[in-house]
Amino acid sequence: MHVIHKLPVLVLHVNNRCNCRCTMCSIWKSTDTSELTPETLAGYLPDMRTLGVESVALTGGEPLMHSRLSELCSMLKDAGIRVTILTTGLLLHRYAAMLVRLADEVIVSLDGPSAVHERIRRVAGCYELLACGVRALHDIDLSFPVQGRCTVQRLNCSSLRSTVQAARSMGLRSISFLAADLVSTAFNRSTGLTVIEGDSLALGPADIQDLEQEIAAIAEPDFTSGFVVESREKLQRIVRHFRARLGLAEPVAPRCNAPWVSGVIETDGLLRPCFFHQGIGRADSSGFMAALNGPAALEFRSRLVVAEDSMCRRCVCSLWRPN
């Protein structure tokens, strides 16, 4: 039951560098310049074929800062695998032609309207660079899918409606919202957030009221059209997440089977069952199948009860795929 024979989704960290200084992330503090090389990816491809990997998301760091990104994308495209690029968007204008040719979609981080986005990203002009990059993609191919993702925290919890408006004006196909992660060691947090860091991101009672009002005020057509990916009811998960941190609600795990249908491989080969759980093995030049179904991985999956696990109950994300 816990041996994985099919893995539809794989996330590859291609580097550890970033060109933003986001308040909710510490990746930008990394001095590690290592990258996933095409040679290493070539070693993964046989296992990807065996496991029937359908979709690969390339993330980082900032994948557009990778020195050989076009080679990685070409290898995946030639293997018939769907390629998604997760990006800050600051370099989209420079690599637009390559992305339209070799990627299937781009997901950009959008934290709010211009002033809010720049306050969170802490890079002057980053909003206009993102907008310029989206225009560059659509100047080449108006139908090329660019989606937005917003991480909700204290600095933007009262800006959901204006974030939706910003996404529309930027020409994005959709916008999704998730809560800021406050508990895991993801995003280059070696020991997790400090109390001060967590408090700077978390919502207080008044902020939660603002968030609830914003969710209620989003226009119904934005939901029914699918432009806002989550339903109004699903956005209440974000409210509950922050209420649980204040002890005002019980944390509830989302419906998720990510550890059985996906994997995350970091630049050093560390294999995680998802972004937020600890590593369960290590890929090497010969592939990652041995780690995926190794003793540590099997033991982890056999004992994991998502509804009861402390990390899962505080998780901000979810993935559900038939396996």
Side-chain angles (χ1 to χ4, degrees):
M1 175 181 177
H2 298 293
V3 174
I4 292 177
H5 300 287
K6 184 173 177 58
L7 193 78
V9 179
L10 185 63
V11 178
L12 297 177
H13 284 260
V14 298
N15 61 2
N16 297 300
R17 301 163 60 210
C18 192
N19 49 12
C20 282
R21 300 168 59 86
C22 301
T23 57
M24 62 286 190
C25 177
S26 296
I27 291 174
W28 57 271
K29 298 178 183 178
S30 174
T31 58
D32 180 5
T33 59
S34 62
E35 296 182 332
L36 171 67
T37 66
E39 293 76 18
T40 298
L41 178 58
Y44 295 167
L45 283 174
D47 285 346
M48 293 166 68
R49 294 189 187 98
T50 300
L51 290 162
V53 172
E54 301 167 7
S55 175
V56 168
L58 301 183
T59 186
E62 169 50 59
L64 296 185
M65 296 178 72
H66 191 286
S67 63
R68 301 169 70 182
L69 182 64
S70 63
E71 294 178 63
L72 300 181
C73 293
S74 292
M75 293 170 68
L76 294 167
K77 186 178 182 68
D78 290 344
I81 295 170
R82 180 176 177 81
V83 178
T84 298
I85 305 291
L86 309 180
T87 176
T88 65
L90 273 62
L91 297 173
L92 279 177
H93 63 290
R94 186 181 303 177
Y95 296 106
M98 182 272 288
L99 292 170
V100 170
R101 187 175 78 255
L102 297 177
D104 293 283
E105 68 173 344
V106 166
I107 299 177
V108 300
S109 297
L110 177 64
D111 294 309
S114 179
V116 175
H117 183 78
E118 297 205 3
R119 186 180 179 192
I120 291 172
R121 295 269 142 182
R122 297 189 291 190
V123 174
C126 62
Y127 183 90
E128 182 51 38
L129 281 171
L130 170 57
C132 176
V134 175
R135 288 196 297 271
L137 290 168
H138 287 160
D139 283 346
I140 299 169
D141 182 355
L142 187 59
S143 67
F144 186 80
V146 188
Q147 303 181 58
R149 182 171 293 164
C150 178
T151 301
V152 178
Q153 50 143 306
R154 178 172 290 183
L155 293 178
N156 63 6
C157 64
S158 59
S159 302
L160 268 64
R161 282 176 295 170
S162 54
T163 302
V164 173
Q165 293 166 0
R168 282 200 180 279
S169 66
M170 202 175 279
L172 303 187
R173 177 170 291 188
S174 64
I175 182 74
S176 65
F177 295 92
L178 75 164
D181 169 51
L182 302 174
V183 297
S184 81
T185 57
F187 313 110
N188 195 39
R189 302 169 185 157
S190 58
T191 58
L193 290 172
T194 66
V195 172
I196 293 175
E197 289 170 334
D199 286 346
S200 70
L201 297 173
L203 275 56
D207 301 312
I208 291 173
Q209 283 189 330
D210 289 343
L211 176 60
E212 290 181 301
Q213 290 171 2
E214 285 291 303
I215 292 172
I218 294 174
E220 192 61 30
D222 287 325
F223 292 107
T224 56
S225 67
F227 187 76
V228 175
V229 172
E230 298 81 11
S231 66
R232 204 183 300 273
E233 292 70 29
K234 283 189 176 180
L235 289 183
Q236 289 297 323
R237 275 193 57 212
I238 301 176
V239 175
R240 188 180 187 96
H241 172 77
F242 289 112
R243 284 176 57 83
R245 190 176 189 275
L246 295 174
L248 301 174
E250 279 294 313
V252 176
R255 185 187 189 213
C256 181
N257 64 349
W260 291 270
V261 298
S262 70
V264 178
I265 303 178
E266 300 187 354
T267 54
D268 62 358
L270 182 69
L271 173 66
R272 295 178 183 263
C274 69
F275 275 110
F276 306 107
H277 278 286
Q278 297 296 317
I280 52 173
R282 193 170 293 276
D284 57 31
S285 59
S286 64
F288 61 92
M289 180 82 81
L292 183 70
N293 286 319
L298 292 175
E299 194 274 334
F300 170 81
R301 290 192 291 270
S302 67
R303 64 175 171 79
L304 179 64
V305 179
V306 171
E308 300 174 5
D309 183 81
S310 61
M311 182 63 70
C312 294
R313 293 177 70 208
R314 290 168 173 79
C315 188
V316 300
C317 192
S318 69
L319 173 66
W320 181 264
R321 294 275 302 252
N323 57 354

